[in-house]
Amino acid sequence: MGWSLGWARMAMTGIAAVGMVVGEGVLAPGAAQSAPAVGYGRTVSVAPGISYRSFTVTASHGLTRGHLVVADLSNPHVTVDLLTPGAVAARARVTAMADAMDAVAAVNGDFFNISETQHPGVEATGASSGPAVASGRPLKAAVPDGQRFGPTLAPGTSARDVIGVDPARTGRLDRLTLEGTVDTGRGGLRLAGLNQYALPVDGVGAFTAKWGSASRARAVCGTDTARGAPCTKDTYEVTVRRGRVVSTSTAPGKGPVPVGTFVLVGREKGAHALSALRPGDRAGLAYRLRARRGPLAFAVGGMPVLRARTPLNGLDDRTAATRTGAGIGGHGHRLYLLALNGSAENDAGLTLAELARLLRDMGADDAVNLDGGGSSTLATRDPGDPGVVVRNRPPGSFERAVANGIGLFVRH
């Protein structure tokens, strides 16, 4: 595969690459940076406004191979949306989700509740950690910061941070905060969770038909600062159908939530507040995910690593891993999707600080780290082919089922 720098100029990107390791394993402000070369493979047109190419970069841990998709969001035929398995508490392969929704390119998305070794007997839900918006509709809110999966957050960031695209087709990083109430007819209760695997201590959370059939028991485990803390037994659950309470329980249940029904789960003070409800009582639910900078038509949770072309302070610059990242450039009109090869035996990986610098030098102004390791998956569809093909794994290797993804679509 030949090298070409022409594509990088056409895409308004640079080819300077990753900086050196500094200090005690975190990126220091103003640190000197080296610039090892990035080698790009030939550009492949996935569709008008969407291109794909492979690349190599030599960083602190050695030679790393990766794959990059760039989408021109100013192209009226290019759209971005969330890939889902059909429920919040479910998992599917990126290729299966992409093909089911007719995406031409995709990467895996947010970190998710993959295991529950700290809470024996509690079902792992498969639900993602951060907020999610699909086709302009909120699917879920963020778990407390201490309950999320993934690397340690940089100072000033939150599990509520997302990468998204607004209705005007402009991409950005933003923060989505849940605002909602439960109207019981005796006063309102503040809603502290929406379709999420972990509720804040003392909170009340709502589970809708979008949650799926997974158990809701995980919602009352851990605390706001410790994911592995024990599950509380001070819980209460209320099921509401067509505006009336139809059943109550002292423990979270499981099974699908029918359309027209929602389930309220409370822990500690939230449980005490819900325990006043009885079958036949009226109960209503209202909520929204409020963004700082206006509504988003698509959003997925991500760990910010780059803002205004500056890597965030406090990023790990010591631990290398297989990474997935997404960035926004070109005044919000260019989306970068990146995944490293998933073969730990043959590829060195990047640190979080290196990922930020690499995405910056590829053209991103702002960027997030997405779920990596065995979840890292980037897939594209060749013109005329019936489905997408994974680009960052050797043929025949395992593709992990994940909670969600970012899909690129061509709409005529």
Side-chain angles (χ1 to χ4, degrees):
M1 188 174 289
W3 307 118
S4 170
L5 301 184
W7 178 88
R9 288 192 290 270
M10 290 171 61
M12 302 177 63
T13 67
I15 61 169
V18 179
M20 65 185 217
V21 177
V22 295
E24 295 299 318
V26 297
L27 180 64
Q33 298 178 9
S34 61
V38 177
Y40 288 101
R42 69 179 181 88
T43 304
V44 176
S45 177
V46 176
I50 303 173
S51 61
Y52 157 77
R53 65 175 9 193
S54 62
F55 67 88
T56 60
V57 58
T58 301
S60 59
H61 288 63
L63 180 68
T64 297
R65 296 172 174 83
H67 304 262
L68 176 69
V69 168
V70 182
D72 179 6
L73 300 182
S74 66
N75 186 311
H77 300 297
V78 175
T79 61
V80 188
D81 209 347
L82 189 73
L83 299 179
T84 75
V88 169
R91 296 166 56 190
R93 294 175 290 112
V94 169
T95 53
M97 292 188 288
D99 288 345
M101 296 179 65
D102 202 27
V104 298
V107 296
N108 65 286
D110 197 2
F111 291 86
F112 59 94
N113 176 209
I114 190 172
S115 66
E116 280 303 324
T117 56
Q118 296 168 312
H119 305 113
V122 175
E123 175 186 347
T125 65
S128 63
S129 294
V133 176
S135 301
R137 298 180 178 180
L139 292 184
K140 66 177 300 294
V143 301
D145 286 355
Q147 291 264 23
R148 59 181 289 278
F149 287 79
T152 301
L153 291 167
T157 64
S158 165
R160 292 174 287 142
D161 290 325
V162 298
I163 186 168
V165 177
D166 68 19
R169 306 169 54 79
T170 302
R172 68 175 190 261
L173 302 194
D174 211 323
R175 180 170 293 180
L176 293 178
T177 300
L178 176 65
E179 294 181 342
T181 57
V182 179
D183 180 8
T184 67
R186 307 170 186 171
L189 299 177
R190 176 179 171 271
L191 191 67
L194 172 66
N195 291 329
Q196 57 199 61
Y197 65 78
L199 294 174
V201 172
D202 293 325
V204 172
F207 294 83
T208 71
K210 296 174 183 177
W211 168 253
S213 59
S215 171
R216 298 175 288 275
R218 175 61 184 81
V220 298
C221 298
T223 67
D224 298 356
T225 57
R227 194 178 71 214
C231 306
T232 180
K233 296 185 182 302
D234 191 2
T235 65
Y236 205 79
E237 180 174 278
V238 173
T239 300
V240 180
R241 183 174 301 126
R242 298 184 179 89
R244 295 286 180 178
V245 175
V246 295
S247 66
T248 64
S249 173
T250 56
K254 62 181 180 180
V257 179
V259 174
T261 301
F262 62 88
V263 176
L264 301 173
V265 175
R267 56 178 297 175
E268 294 96 14
K269 292 180 181 178
H272 298 165
L274 289 182
S275 66
L277 294 176
R278 297 289 184 270
D281 287 351
R282 183 170 65 86
L285 179 65
Y287 60 83
R288 68 169 182 160
L289 292 177
R290 180 180 55 81
R292 289 177 165 180
R293 297 167 56 191
L296 291 169
F298 147 77
V300 67
M303 174 186 175
V305 295
L306 181 73
R307 291 190 190 276
R309 298 191 60 77
T310 302
L312 272 60
N313 293 335
L315 293 178
D316 181 5
D317 207 7
R318 176 171 295 173
T319 306
T322 301
R323 306 284 183 188
T324 301
I328 298 292
H331 303 288
H333 297 301
R334 197 171 296 275
L335 174 65
Y336 299 85
L337 304 178
L338 174 154
L340 303 183
N341 271 13
S343 174
E345 296 80 7
N346 300 318
D347 297 274
L350 297 176
T351 69
L352 288 172
E354 289 170 341
L355 174 67
R357 297 195 289 266
L358 178 60
L359 281 163
R360 176 198 63 193
D361 294 336
M362 286 176 163
D365 300 316
D366 307 286
V368 297
N369 174 56
L370 299 170
D371 193 7
S375 297
S376 286
T377 308
L378 183 145
T380 66
R381 182 197 301 175
D382 289 332
D385 283 358
V388 297
V389 175
V390 176
R391 302 300 179 187
N392 66 319
R393 299 179 189 277
S397 66
F398 175 74
E399 183 186 348
R400 175 183 288 172
V402 296
N404 54 33
I406 301 174
L408 297 180
F409 304 84
V410 176
R411 308 300 191 197
H412 298 288

